[in-house]
Amino acid sequence: MSTATVPARKSFRETQFEVREEAILAATNRLLASRGYELMSMDDIAAEVGIAKGSLYRHFESKEALAAAVMVQLLERTQEALAALPADLSARGKLAQLLRWTLAERLAGGVPHLPSTSPTLRDSLLANRAYMDRLMALSEAVGGMIRQARRDGHLRADMSEEFVLFTIYARSCDPTMDFLKATGSLSDEQIVEQMVSACFDGIGATGPAATSDGAKR
Amino acid sequence: MSTATVPARKSFRETQFEVREEAILAATNRLLASRGYELMSMDDIAAEVGIAKGSLYRHFESKEALAAAVMVQLLERTQEALAALPADLSARGKLAQLLRWTLAERLAGGVPHLPSTSPTLRDSLLANRAYMDRLMALSEAVGGMIRQARRDGHLRADMSEEFVLFTIYARSCDPTMDFLKATGSLSDEQIVEQMVSACFDGIGATGPAATSDGAKR
DNA sequence: GTCTATACTGAGATAGAC
DNA sequence: GTCTATCTCAGTATAGAC
């Protein structure tokens, strides 16, 4: 009988291939987080993984495709983190927890620098079905939480759902975190808490002392 | 007698040279704002100004020096905006107004994309005396306003001066603005006001309904 | 000082041996 | 499939004519 009768068992080579692919994705993730898309070269990735540059192209057909694969992984991890949130949490509590998770992940070096204004990368992502599907699914899930939190009266009524969504998304690439990390005066946990608090409550004091700030025009 | 006896009158050629230099700086500013440092090429700048690429190097010795000159201009414009604030405004009011000015400037396409993680550019800026002097002067001025606003009870006491400073600085490159601009559902003025409000007051509702959000750990 | 033309480098991608 | 070697192109910077 041929070996074809053995069904799902993967060969050693196949396993090796997948392990290597994961290593490539992990290395790319790190480099994308630390340097961003433009400053990350395929040579860097190959060196970090410890393979030849040419081999990268057996796994991913281009730098853009590789970056997209990393972004897909990030969106999937985020969805998992979202699904793992305690069900008894309020919508606002979930939003805050999700933000905490993202910021902690970023501090651990796990979140690619998104604001790459590279038009080619942008187009490549927009054309990537896997990426767009996951992005829309995540946005819909978070959007639902935002709508619920607004119904609960936990989010400001004068800000649109889309504004809140963008604001929360943008925190994942806020350079404030890099500055704070660089000064070293706060622990990672403190950084995360202050960022979350600043996002939801602002930097201004509330209460009687802050009512007449003269800033309204 | 030689023409050296004629003192401060600039020749036509000198004026032309300065006019051209201003055009170079303006073009670089635009490109830096739209694409960022890495994606802006010297070819782009030359084409935008309408001169030969080689001529750029008669004005600025390198791409880094050119970017630094643009950043110096930005810091100087910011200082001027700060000096022009109404004296009767509270410290918090001034901070808010300065933030408004910066965001409006950014929407008008006038603020270079700072978060360039290019190590060479970073080092170049850190070594640039003109840039560092102005950056420190501005930080000191804004820092003074933050300290005053805290004394007034207009800023949260549980956030450090440096955290507030970074948070305000970071708004000038917040991608939320790009998203909002792209959707087109808000006018520029509305975008600015919402950003300022989100920065100082947060996205969360205040008052009794928001007190128990279940997000504290 | 400005132009055209070019040297040099880094980086994305491919070819061909094994 | 992985390697080494190479192609190609974009981009910074410089050289030389005018």
Side-chain angles (χ1 to χ4, degrees):
Chain A
M1 305 303 165
S2 81
T3 56
T5 55
V6 181
R9 187 71 170 263
K10 279 170 190 160
S11 75
F12 176 72
R13 293 190 83 88
E14 282 169 339
T15 309
Q16 279 292 90
F17 186 78
E18 286 167 20
V19 166
R20 181 164 280 200
E21 189 148 316
E22 276 307 313
I24 293 173
L25 287 169
T28 305
N29 201 342
R30 276 193 297 277
L31 289 167
L32 227 38
S34 58
R35 302 186 201 175
Y37 182 74
E38 287 84 17
L39 292 165
M40 171 192 72
S41 76
M42 295 299 266
D43 291 87
D44 293 333
I45 301 171
E48 177 110 350
V49 179
I51 63 174
K53 180 165 63 164
S55 302
L56 286 180
Y57 288 87
R58 295 285 167 180
H59 292 264
F60 301 94
E61 68 176 355
S62 69
K63 185 183 178 184
E64 287 158 20
L66 180 46
V70 168
M71 293 304 298
V72 166
Q73 272 201 333
L74 171 66
L75 292 176
E76 286 175 342
R77 274 187 294 137
T78 307
Q79 275 283 16
E80 285 165 21
L82 195 152
L85 292 177
D88 61 341
L89 221 49
S90 69
R92 170 167 167 167
K94 286 181 183 172
L95 288 170
Q97 276 295 112
L98 188 62
L99 183 53
R100 281 193 186 90
W101 178 86
T102 306
L103 298 181
E105 195 80 354
R106 159 112 181 269
L107 283 176
V111 177
H113 250 183
L114 313 195
S116 178
T117 41
S118 164
T120 66
L121 177 60
R122 211 188 80 95
D123 295 347
S124 159
L125 285 175
L126 287 175
N128 187 314
R129 183 65 184 277
Y131 173 79
M132 289 305 290
D133 282 353
R134 283 165 181 79
L135 178 62
M136 285 192 286
L138 180 61
S139 292
E140 193 37 58
V142 176
M145 283 161 39
I146 292 173
R147 287 191 292 276
Q148 181 59 51
R150 286 181 63 161
R151 279 195 295 272
D152 296 341
H154 291 173
L155 290 181
R156 288 172 56 175
D158 61 338
M159 287 172 172
S160 69
E161 175 190 335
E162 117 189 320
F163 179 85
V164 173
L165 181 65
F166 293 161
T167 298
I168 294 178
Y169 273 2
R171 294 291 71 69
S172 65
C173 57
D174 193 319
T176 305
M177 297 196 68
D178 302 310
F179 294 150
L180 289 173
K181 187 98 176 174
T183 66
S185 54
L186 292 176
S187 71
D188 282 8
E189 290 74 20
Q190 288 174 317
I191 292 176
V192 169
E193 282 314 308
Q194 297 231 341
M195 290 290 296
V196 172
S197 181
C199 180
F200 282 90
D201 305 321
I203 60 173
T206 54
T211 47
S212 61
D213 68 351
K216 307 284 181 285
R217 343 182 245 189
Chain B
M1 304 307 165
S2 79
T3 56
T5 54
V6 181
R9 187 72 171 264
K10 279 170 190 158
S11 74
F12 177 72
R13 293 191 83 91
E14 282 169 340
T15 309
Q16 278 292 89
F17 186 79
E18 286 167 20
V19 166
R20 182 166 278 198
E21 188 150 315
E22 275 309 312
I24 294 172
L25 286 169
T28 306
N29 201 342
R30 277 192 297 278
L31 288 167
L32 227 37
S34 59
R35 301 187 201 174
Y37 183 75
E38 288 84 19
L39 293 165
M40 170 193 73
S41 76
M42 296 298 264
D43 291 87
D44 294 332
I45 301 171
E48 179 111 348
V49 179
I51 63 173
K53 179 165 61 164
S55 303
L56 286 180
Y57 288 87
R58 295 283 166 179
H59 293 264
F60 301 94
E61 68 176 355
S62 69
K63 184 182 178 183
E64 287 159 19
L66 181 46
V70 168
M71 293 303 299
V72 166
Q73 271 201 334
L74 172 66
L75 292 175
E76 285 174 344
R77 274 188 293 139
T78 307
Q79 276 282 18
E80 285 165 21
L82 195 152
L85 291 177
D88 61 340
L89 221 50
S90 70
R92 170 166 166 169
K94 287 182 183 171
L95 288 171
Q97 275 297 109
L98 188 62
L99 183 53
R100 281 193 188 88
W101 178 86
T102 307
L103 298 181
E105 195 80 355
R106 160 112 181 269
L107 283 176
V111 177
H113 250 185
L114 313 194
S116 177
T117 42
S118 163
T120 66
L121 177 61
R122 211 188 79 96
D123 295 349
S124 160
L125 286 175
L126 287 176
N128 187 315
R129 183 67 183 276
Y131 173 79
M132 289 305 291
D133 282 353
R134 283 164 181 79
L135 179 61
M136 284 190 285
L138 180 61
S139 291
E140 193 37 58
V142 176
M145 283 161 40
I146 292 173
R147 287 191 293 275
Q148 181 60 49
R150 286 181 61 162
R151 279 195 295 272
D152 296 341
H154 291 172
L155 290 180
R156 288 172 57 174
D158 61 338
M159 286 173 171
S160 69
E161 175 191 335
E162 113 189 322
F163 179 84
V164 173
L165 181 66
F166 293 161
T167 298
I168 294 178
Y169 273 3
R171 294 291 70 69
S172 66
C173 58
D174 194 318
T176 305
M177 296 196 69
D178 302 311
F179 294 150
L180 289 173
K181 186 97 177 172
T183 65
S185 54
L186 292 177
S187 71
D188 282 9
E189 291 74 20
Q190 289 174 317
I191 292 177
V192 170
E193 282 313 308
Q194 296 232 340
M195 290 290 295
V196 173
S197 181
C199 181
F200 281 90
D201 305 322
I203 61 174
T206 54
T211 48
S212 62
D213 68 349
K216 308 283 182 285
R217 341 182 247 190

